[in-house]
Structures are given as C-alpha cells and as structure tokens.
Amino acid sequence: MRALDGTTWTLTWRLTRAGGRMGLLATGLAVAAAAVSTALLLLCVAGNLGFQQRADRTDWRSPVTSATPVATEAVGMTFSGGIPVTVVDVAELPGKKAPAPPGMPRFPEPGEVWVSPALAGRLGHLPSGQRPVAGTPDGTLGRAALAHPGELVAVVGHKPTDRAVTFPREADPRRPGDTVTPTRVADFTGRPMAGGIGEEYVGLAKIATILVVVPLLVLGASSARLSVSRRDQRLAALRLIGASPGRIAGITAAEAVLTGTAGALLGAAAYGLLVPAAAEVSVAGGTWYTADLWTGVPVLLAVLAAVVAMVVVSALVGLRQVVVGPLGVARRSQAPRMSFLRALAFVGVILGYAWFTDEKKDDTNGILVVFAIVFLALSLIGPWAVGVLGRIVTAKARRPATLLAGRRLLDDPKGGWRTVSGLTLAGFVAGFFALFSISGVSVWGSADTLAVAVPKSRVAVVQQEARARLERAGVAATVGSDTDWVAMGGGENSAQVTVTVRGGTENLDRARTALTSLVPGQYAITGTDVNWSRKLFAKDFSHATRVVLSVTFITAIASAGITAASSVLDRRRTYGLLRLAGTPLEVLNAARRQETLMPVAVLAGGAVLTGIFCAAPLTLDGGSSSLDAGSFALLAACFGLGVAGLLGASALSRPLLRSVTTRTGPRPE
C-alpha cells in the first residue's frame, strides 16, 4: 500500500521528532492513554473468562442421568463456621468401572474422603466434634474439581447400597445446585447449572464490564485525538504543498499505529504485572487461580489489535477537513457547529432502549447490548451539548475568563467533550448504581436454630434420635418442631425438627456434626444457611459497585489530566499570544477551570439521570429500585470526588501552561 510506504514512515518519524520536547510530551500522553485503556480492558476480559472457567470446573456437580450408568453421584451442602461445604457422595455400580471424578487420580474406594486443600487445612484445626465431614482425608482434590482455591469441597466414596447414594434428596429452589438427588451417571462431565448463583455473577460481570469498558473505549479513542490541532496544522501544510490525500491519511495512520502499538504493549505489560494482585481479590466466595485470569495469547493479541485499530480509526475520522479544506485549517477558520441530529439520535436510542426493555424482558443479553449502546450514545450527544453550552456562555459572559471559556467550548466542542467525557460517563455509572439495593438479610428462621425436614408421622422419632445424639456430643440444645420454611417446602404432610443451640458458632457446628445423617440425604441448616448465596452476592455486589466506580473515576480523572495537559500543548500558540497581549496567567487558568467545570455540571447531571433510567429494567433479582438516602449519599460522594479529581488534574497542568506561555514568542509554531 503506497500510503504506508517507506516515505510515509520516514515523514511520520521526522514530524514526530520535529515537534521537540513538547511534541514528544504530547506523544507520551497519547501512549499513556492507550496503555491505561489496554491494561484495564485486558483485566475486564480476563475477569469474564475467569468466571467462565470457574463455572466449567463445577459442571461435574450437576450430574446428567445416563441410560448406561457406571456410578451414582449425589450432592449436598453443609456449613462450617458459616462457610458452605459441598459434599459429593459417589459410588461405583457393581461390575462397572467408573472414571475418576475431576481433580482425582482415581475413583474413591468406599469409605474414602478426598477434600480440597482449603478444607484439608480447615479440618486440621477443628476438633473432631466440629468437622463438617467425618473421617481422615485420604487425598487432596486438584484444581479441576474446584471453582477457586478457597472452596471447601469433599468427595466421599460409598458402597452402591449406602443410603447416602440411594435415598432421594429434595432440592431447595432457593438454593439451586446445593442439593442433588442420587443420579446414575456414565461420567462426570455434568452440565452447566441453570438458575444458580453463577448466573448472577456472570450477569454482574457483564454489566460491570460494560460500565468499565465504554469509558476505556472513549479514553482510547480520545488518545488518538490528543494535540489534534497541532497535528492538523502540520498535515494541512503538507497538503497545501502537494501531498496527496492518501499520503496524509498514511501519515496519520502511521503516527496512530506507532502511539497505539506502544501504548498497547505497555498496557499488556501492566496487565501481566497486575494479574497476580488481581488473583488475590475475593469474588464469589474466594480468590482466583492465576491461570484463570490469563486471557491466553490469541485473546491478548486480539485486544491489542483492537486497541491499535481503535486508535487508528479515531485518528482517521477527523481527517476530512484537512484533506478537503486544508487552507481553512491552516488559517484556523471557525470549526463547523455540531448538528442537532446528534440530539435526535440520542433521543431515538433512549426511546429504543425503553421499548426493547419493555417488549423483550427475558432477553437479558439483548438488553445488555442495547444498554451498552445507550452508554456509548452519551459520546454522541456530548459534543453537541458542549457546543450549545459554549454559545450560551459566550452570549452571557461578563468576565474575561468566562468569555474565554465560552469561546473555547464554542470553537472546539469535541475538544471540550474529550476533557469531560470520562467524568460524564462516570456520572452515568454512579446514577446506574444509585438505583440498586441488594439485600442479603435472611427472611427465614433463626441463625442459631438448625432444622431438618421429616414427614409429620416421624417427627417424634427424629426428635428422640436428635436429643440422644446431642447428649452424646455434649451439646446443650432445645429440640422442637414447627412448619416454618427453612429445611422444607411447607407441604401438608411434612414438618421440620428444629434444634436451637446457644453458645455461638462453635456449639452450632458441634450440633451440625452430631446431626449429620440424622435424616438421609439432608444436612441440618439454619435460616442464614438458606440465604448464604444471596448474602454472598449482596456483599460482592457492594464490592463490585465500589470497584467499578473506582475504576471509572480513576479512568475519568486520568483522562481529564492527560487531555488537559495535551490541550495546553495543543493551544500553546493561542495561550502564548494571549499572554503577549497582556492576559494575566490567572485569567487563563480560571478560563481553563470554567471550560471544564461548566460542561461537567451540565453533562454529569444528565448522565446521572440517564444512568438511573437505564438501571430500572436491569434491577437484579432480590434487589430494589428506589432512590434512598444511601443513593443520594453515593451520588454526592461521586460528584465531590469527580470535581476534586478534575480540579486536581487541571492543577497538575498549570506549570505546563506557565512554561509554554513563558517560552512562546509571537510565532511559537
């Protein structure tokens, strides 16, 4: 391709070097923006892939009935210190050769107990009367059997006639996957579990990814437009002396490829350094295997290529004026105003989202796609709103700084948007999360009362056996019965035997151990145990909210700082001429602050309302959609943090402004 021949690369390199120290600084800012985008994009992709790998490793606990079985598999869940312990009971059928379950070198013999490393460590510190599984571990489960390193799992071998693998178990709809009735299987491949806690985390991961990736895409695309005015001046000059449109496009693409590739490689290196730290973040009950957060070479290369392509496309998008009207660019003619069609398009996207979420309530992935489009559409209306604000401020200005700020917004609405885009998108994220409230409070039973479900005709017998077991274990407890919905579904012919234990978690676990197999296929549970997954999800949702808000605001502030510094370099001729004309440096700084704060005040408010609007259809199961005191506190804290970060980012570029205005002569370019 002639546009990218040796001459183009030579010109690109010379033009980059000819920019001097300030030009290299501008290039460095573009590289930094691309690097931040790449690193965080890779972490987002890694998180989603990691959740999928976790889910794949737990499929074997959702057995599939086979017409040619070789083994029986059943699943139950007990608790130790409030932490769930998954117990998988297996038995080889007579005359059959069963394959080894995942994470094991062979099929366990009857009476053998294989446990996860975390459970092995826990059993080593617990007295026998508090152990969630009986016996001494005969082996340790490998990674292939576990969702995460801290998961507590036990695989117990049985004879094919044992009640643990023959007695039916009733699944609890509130706890998908916690209880699986004995199932005859041909292998331990299993199937993905539907409706469980894993689906909630996958949905949360998708939403969090959209909320993080869109600001990163905007930052990455903006990196290609840093110092755009200075670059357009050089390209317009080349066009005027005879360079072809293809050559101009080639130089622009070559420069974008260089900065985008350098930034992408630095971001990939940063991602590699951050993976071990990210693996220590506890999600869904435990930390990560480091390998789960490694994207793999194909995905890594795809993300790097996407970042570079995004930077190149963004750089080429703004070339039309340089190619078609280079004289106007060279003379710094007034830029065309933003079309009102942008506002109409944004309204159309909002109405489309409202329609889709009303008509396609069950299409979760489709809703998330449209949600992402709405989020991206903020970048469509943003420059138009900045241009309108510039006209209003210019018309109403009474002070020099306000007039300068209004003129800058009016003359370069896209540049004004680039400075505040990050915080505007962060406002959308804050508004989105302000509407959510996920509760982890249990509405069933009591935290100190264990329960097992039994037919009403057997209540007295089971109560007597429970008292005898507790007496032998030395546990003081009150045995009773009721028809509450903790260990049972409330059917007419069933009731639950209850054991109220005083003395805290240790005594409760001693009672659990004593009551193990009191009713075949059941583990005694409390109301808190029933709600363990909801409580865990509520906690992780709260953490995810803080993480996503932190990432988006850090990205926004970094974007504002990079763009503010680049803007100073981009406009150094204008600033220099204003200083030579007698404009005080304080006025220039005040104009820069107002040029940033006024759009933020307007756009962030609209973005918050848009976020609240988009959150309503996505309110997760178990959550509420209302604005309360906590929501307003969240919004106030985010707004305060955003403004403080924005002012701080602007202050960091103040010495640069002083430098360029001090050194600049009448013809600084």
Side-chain angles (χ1 to χ4, degrees):
M1 182 178 177
R2 185 177 177 183
L4 289 175
D5 59 15
T7 302
T8 296
W9 289 103
T10 301
L11 277 172
T12 302
W13 179 246
R14 288 184 177 180
L15 288 172
T16 302
R17 293 180 59 190
R21 187 168 63 88
M22 294 300 177
L24 291 176
L25 178 57
T27 301
L29 292 173
V31 170
V36 171
S37 299
T38 303
L40 294 179
L41 279 171
L42 285 170
L43 286 175
C44 287
V45 172
N48 281 272
L49 294 177
F51 272 118
Q52 186 59 54
Q53 291 191 58
R54 279 188 172 191
D56 291 344
R57 289 198 299 272
T58 58
D59 287 349
W60 69 283
R61 301 178 210 163
S62 298
V64 179
T65 302
S66 173
T68 56
V70 296
T72 302
E73 178 183 4
V75 180
M77 181 170 287
T78 184
F79 292 81
S80 176
I83 303 174
V85 181
T86 301
V87 181
V88 182
D89 297 295
V90 295
E92 193 173 57
L93 295 178
K96 303 292 183 179
K97 182 63 177 179
M104 300 179 63
R106 57 177 176 80
F107 194 90
E109 297 291 335
E112 285 190 338
V113 179
W114 291 64
V115 299
S116 63
L119 182 55
R122 190 174 188 86
L123 293 176
H125 294 88
L126 289 175
S128 58
Q130 295 178 27
R131 293 187 173 188
V133 291
T136 301
D138 296 281
T140 303
L141 298 175
R143 173 190 164 199
L146 310 173
H148 53 79
E151 191 178 25
L152 306 183
V153 180
V155 177
V156 182
H158 292 276
K159 297 178 180 179
T161 55
D162 288 351
R163 301 194 73 184
V165 290
T166 57
F167 199 87
R169 306 184 184 190
E170 184 176 354
D172 189 333
R174 299 164 297 177
R175 306 164 58 202
D178 287 3
T179 302
V180 179
T181 197
T183 305
R184 295 197 163 196
V185 299
D187 54 43
F188 293 96
T189 303
R191 61 188 168 195
M193 184 178 65
I197 187 173
E199 287 189 357
E200 294 182 334
Y201 278 99
V202 169
L204 177 60
K206 289 179 179 178
I207 293 174
T209 299
I210 293 172
L211 294 175
V212 171
V213 166
V214 171
L216 292 176
L217 293 176
V218 173
L219 174 60
S222 296
S223 69
R225 302 296 295 160
L226 298 179
S227 294
V228 63
S229 177
R230 171 177 163 271
R231 182 168 63 232
D232 285 354
Q233 286 290 316
R234 295 181 305 170
L235 296 176
L238 289 173
R239 182 78 176 99
L240 288 171
I241 63 175
S244 67
R247 182 73 68 190
I248 297 299
I251 292 173
T252 302
E255 184 177 7
V257 167
L258 290 175
T259 57
T261 301
L265 292 176
L266 285 175
Y271 157 72
L273 295 174
L274 289 172
V275 164
E280 296 302 316
V281 177
S282 180
V283 181
T287 57
W288 302 78
Y289 290 107
T290 303
D292 288 347
L293 297 180
W294 169 241
T295 61
V297 174
V299 174
L300 175 66
L301 294 178
V303 172
L304 297 185
V307 170
V308 175
M310 177 180 61
V311 172
V312 172
V313 170
S314 181
L316 291 174
V317 164
L319 273 186
R320 182 178 180 275
Q321 187 67 19
V322 175
V323 173
V324 176
L327 185 59
V329 174
R331 295 178 59 186
R332 291 178 168 84
S333 299
Q334 183 178 8
R337 294 180 179 178
M338 296 291 102
S339 172
F340 183 67
L341 293 177
R342 288 174 174 260
L344 292 179
F346 180 76
V347 172
V349 170
I350 290 292
L351 293 177
Y353 179 81
W355 174 86
F356 193 93
T357 53
D358 183 59
E359 297 293 328
K360 308 288 185 179
K361 293 183 177 67
D362 297 329
D363 187 0
T364 304
N365 289 330
I367 290 176
L368 289 176
V369 170
V370 182
F371 169 70
I373 293 174
V374 173
F375 199 9
L376 283 168
L378 288 172
S379 296
L380 186 69
I381 196 176
W384 175 83
V386 170
V388 171
L389 180 63
R391 286 198 295 273
I392 296 173
V393 171
T394 301
K396 302 293 184 181
R398 295 293 180 268
R399 296 182 180 181
T402 306
L403 179 61
L404 286 173
R407 287 300 306 178
R408 287 307 310 171
L409 294 177
L410 181 59
D411 292 343
D412 188 13
K414 289 184 178 180
W417 164 249
R418 279 194 294 272
T419 303
V420 301
S421 60
L423 278 175
T424 301
L425 298 177
F428 177 94
V429 176
F432 179 85
F433 280 122
L435 199 63
F436 281 95
S437 177
I438 306 297
S439 174
V441 178
S442 176
V443 297
W444 298 286
S446 173
D448 61 357
T449 300
L450 296 164
V452 292
V454 296
K456 287 183 177 179
S457 59
R458 288 186 49 79
V459 168
V461 175
V462 174
Q463 284 180 323
Q464 183 177 356
E465 175 64 18
R467 291 189 184 96
R469 290 187 176 205
L470 293 168
E471 184 177 352
R472 288 195 297 269
V475 179
T478 302
V479 180
S481 66
D482 58 36
T483 55
D484 197 4
W485 194 25
V486 174
M488 53 169 282
E492 293 183 359
N493 296 320
S494 64
Q496 59 180 23
V497 172
T498 60
V499 176
T500 302
V501 184
R502 308 298 179 189
T505 303
E506 290 188 1
N507 280 348
L508 192 69
D509 284 347
R510 290 170 61 198
R512 286 185 197 273
T513 301
L515 298 175
T516 299
S517 72
L518 175 67
V519 177
Q522 281 194 60
Y523 291 96
I525 58 171
T526 68
T528 302
D529 299 337
V530 172
N531 206 51
W532 75 270
S533 60
R534 176 57 48 187
K535 181 179 179 181
L536 178 62
F537 184 75
K539 178 182 175 182
D540 284 340
F541 186 88
S542 177
H543 290 165
T545 300
R546 290 194 289 270
V547 169
V548 172
L549 284 172
S550 298
V551 170
T552 52
F553 273 92
I554 289 172
T555 302
I557 293 170
S559 175
I562 291 172
T563 308
S566 180
S567 177
V568 171
L569 298 175
D570 197 25
R571 303 171 185 172
R572 63 181 182 269
R573 180 177 186 275
T574 303
Y575 285 134
L577 293 176
L578 286 170
R579 287 288 285 130
L580 288 172
T583 307
L585 188 62
E586 292 75 14
V587 173
L588 296 180
N589 275 319
R592 290 175 62 240
R593 284 196 301 271
Q594 293 183 38
E595 181 186 342
T596 301
L597 292 178
M598 287 188 293
V600 163
V602 175
L603 294 173
V608 167
L609 294 177
T610 306
I612 292 173
F613 171 79
C614 290
L618 295 177
T619 303
L620 302 179
D621 182 34
S624 61
S625 55
S626 61
L627 289 173
D628 53 19
S631 301
F632 287 109
L634 173 66
L635 293 176
C638 290
F639 182 78
L641 175 64
V643 171
L646 199 61
L647 292 175
S650 178
L652 289 176
S653 59
R654 193 175 301 168
L656 182 61
L657 177 64
R658 183 182 298 109
S659 174
V660 299
T661 55
T662 301
R663 295 184 177 188
T664 302
R667 304 290 295 175
E669 294 290 349

